[in-house]
DNA sequence: CGTTCAATTGATCAGCGTCAAACTAGGTGG
DNA sequence: CCACCTAGTTTGACGCTGATCAATTGAACG
């Protein structure tokens, strides 16, 4: 484990306030790995032997059942994933694969649990992170059940816009096929939904989004912090 | 706070192993209340001043947006709810109302957070509970995105059956209208889905369910622990 | 300059929601 | 004890949303 990574990891909210000795203990068993795109990191159902941290690139969390597959979320640097399974010493509920060339840190779950029991600062950080994740899934679930696909797309665009700089022009960060799955629709339907947003001033060419009539889109999307604000 | 409740609360997994002094500290500010059916306990968006524990009866967690409403889950004794908002000192993401006459304990969030910082056993229990909740929502989200409404109903029946005694006959514990909302469909559609399960040996009269051809239903439902086993 | 895969478009269809009406059951009061 | 009221449930008819299938266009890459 090179020191350059260590400093970066150390600055993550989840590791920030823990004791040096405990951080070292976790790092001792950890290793960093570089993956090309489209590599399976995790398969749902496996035992959660590692907690993961994405350092660069992006990782898709997805789930399958009966031959179907859906994108649950996309994890970007710098964040953890599969924390709950590690804590509970349970099986992964989701699979994970790299979308781009990615650097991922893998921390043995048993080490994480051991340090959790010894370092209260770390425990506090883990709970905060876990609560955050929980709330994110609840928001996602609310969106799925309460909004139509057009409304989901409209709100996704507004969230993406806010995540960048709030400007009228910005980029989609994942391919449309994945976006469709994440929003709970088919690629074809997403394509049509994009067209349906044209009267609201939305133009999407390739990965470039332009929002010409912000107010109109907002009026359609009716965003609420209770669903759309990641920090709420 | 009567002592009879205290013992009951003390035996909850989340409070079981914490120090006596800390338990007393939490109980000092707590109070128990009896509610009739259909009483609003919590409104989404409010600050999470209390953590709740259902002692008897049942509580519906639901969410609203733009005039629409959906049932997120039904909480039964003895379990906590709205733990994440308490931990994060954030706003409720869901609303809650009693479905039946219910007894609910309310613990001031600030007390819970304070004791969390002081009692490691309690912290451990909170994390476990939170991880459990997280995984439950993920499973629910997977079900929504990967299964049709008929499949969701079929699996719900099997889960409900497993939750009681595994017998061919059992009772639905919530009214069909709520069940429909929980499963992400309309009451009318649920009614038709029930009929569509008849060829698979399912009969539902009122709240009584009879599963005559277990194998057929299982073959349709294709249950998996990764979605359907609450303990997995 | 092909090759390949994503994205789009069109046509069709199934699933599901909506609306309206009929039916049922549980509870209340005469 | 019965009639009635109310609310949940069921049924039917209809229409819209979104999925599926098939074919075309477009874009990235070697």
């Amino acid at each position: 484990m090179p020191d350059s990574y260590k400093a970066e990891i150390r600055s993550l909210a989840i590791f920030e306030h823990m004791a040096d000795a405990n951080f070292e203990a976790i790092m001792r068993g950890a290793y960093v790995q570089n993956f090309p795109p489209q590599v399976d990191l995790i398969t749902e159902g496996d035992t959660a032997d590692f907690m993961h941290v994405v350092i660069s690139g992006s990782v898709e969390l997805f789930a399958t059942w009966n031959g179907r597959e859906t994108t649950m979320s996309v994890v970007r640097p710098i964040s953890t994933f599969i924390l709950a399974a590690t804590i509970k010493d349970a099986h992964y509920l989701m699979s994970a694969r790299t979308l781009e060339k990615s650097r991922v840190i893998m921390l043995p779950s048993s080490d994480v649990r051991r340090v959790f029991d010894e370092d209260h600062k770390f425990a506090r950080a883990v709970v905060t992170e876990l609560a955050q994740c929980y709330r994110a899934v609840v928001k996602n679930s609310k969106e799925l059940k309460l909004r139509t696909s057009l409304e989901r797309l409209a709100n996704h665009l507004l969230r993406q816009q806010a995540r960048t700089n709030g400007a009228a022009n910005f980029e989609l960060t994942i391919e449309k096929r994945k976006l469709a799955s994440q929003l709970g629709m088919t690629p074809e339907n997403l394509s049509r939904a994009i067209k349906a947003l044209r009267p609201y001033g939305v133009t999407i060419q390739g990965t470039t989004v332009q929002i010409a009539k912000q107010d109109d889109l907002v009026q359609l999307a009716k965003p609420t912090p209770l669903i759309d604000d990641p920090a709420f």
Side-chain angles (χ1 to χ4, degrees), chain A:
Chain A
M1 163 75 65
D3 281 352
S4 61
Y5 297 155
K6 252 194 202 173
E8 201 169 10
I9 300 165
R10 184 66 156 133
S11 68
L12 292 178
I14 201 171
F15 298 117
E16 197 179 0
H17 297 293
M18 67 195 298
D20 284 333
N22 293 324
F23 181 69
E24 289 301 326
I26 282 193
M27 284 305 120
R28 212 162 294 137
Y31 54 97
V32 181
Q33 226 163 345
N34 286 299
F35 296 101
Q38 305 300 332
V39 170
D40 282 354
L41 303 178
I42 282 173
T43 303
E44 54 181 310
D46 288 359
T47 55
D49 297 326
F50 294 95
M51 197 189 100
H52 296 247
V53 185
V54 197
I55 295 298
S56 72
S58 57
V59 173
E60 175 190 12
L61 300 184
F62 64 100
T64 58
W65 178 78
N66 195 27
R68 299 167 208 164
E69 176 180 323
T70 188
T71 301
M72 299 294 284
S73 68
V74 174
V75 186
R76 300 185 174 284
I78 301 176
S79 30
T80 64
F81 60 95
I82 316 285
L83 180 53
T86 288
I87 292 298
K88 288 217 67 168
D89 194 9
H91 298 256
Y92 297 125
L93 290 181
M94 299 183 277
S95 302
R97 70 166 74 96
T98 56
L99 289 178
E100 326 159 44
K101 190 166 167 302
S102 302
R103 187 155 37 234
V104 176
I105 303 172
M106 299 168 69
L107 312 171
S109 295
S110 53
D111 293 354
V112 174
R113 284 194 298 273
R114 186 175 327 113
V115 172
F116 179 96
D117 286 333
E118 287 168 12
D119 191 313
H120 194 273
K121 294 268 178 54
F122 181 58
R124 189 71 173 93
V126 165
V127 169
T128 303
E129 170 90 1
L130 205 51
Q132 178 81 16
C133 291
Y134 172 78
R135 289 168 68 85
V137 190
V138 169
K139 287 172 196 164
N140 193 255
S141 206
K142 285 174 65 173
E143 172 152 62
L144 274 173
K145 293 184 80 176
L146 290 169
R147 287 174 174 162
T148 66
S149 60
L150 192 65
E151 291 163 345
R152 293 200 293 275
L153 172 60
N155 279 291
H156 176 85
L157 293 178
L158 292 175
R159 286 195 299 264
Q160 185 64 25
Q161 183 189 37
R163 201 175 301 139
T164 55
N165 53 6
N169 292 24
F170 57 93
E171 299 289 312
L172 292 179
T173 51
I174 56 174
E175 67 179 348
K176 289 179 183 168
R177 153 183 304 264
K178 298 285 180 203
L179 176 59
S181 179
Q182 205 183 337
L183 294 177
M185 48 179 144
T186 58
E188 297 95 324
N189 196 20
L190 173 61
S191 202
R192 290 175 182 118
I194 288 172
K195 279 198 156 178
L197 286 184
R198 196 172 209 94
Y200 298 89
V202 175
T203 323
I204 305 184
Q205 277 168 6
T207 59
T208 305
V209 183
Q210 184 181 47
I211 297 181
K213 300 186 284 183
Q214 184 79 19
D215 294 349
D216 287 11
L217 185 59
V218 167
Q219 197 176 0
L220 169 70
K222 296 184 178 57
T224 164
L226 289 165
I227 298 180
D228 302 290
D229 186 346
F232 196 77

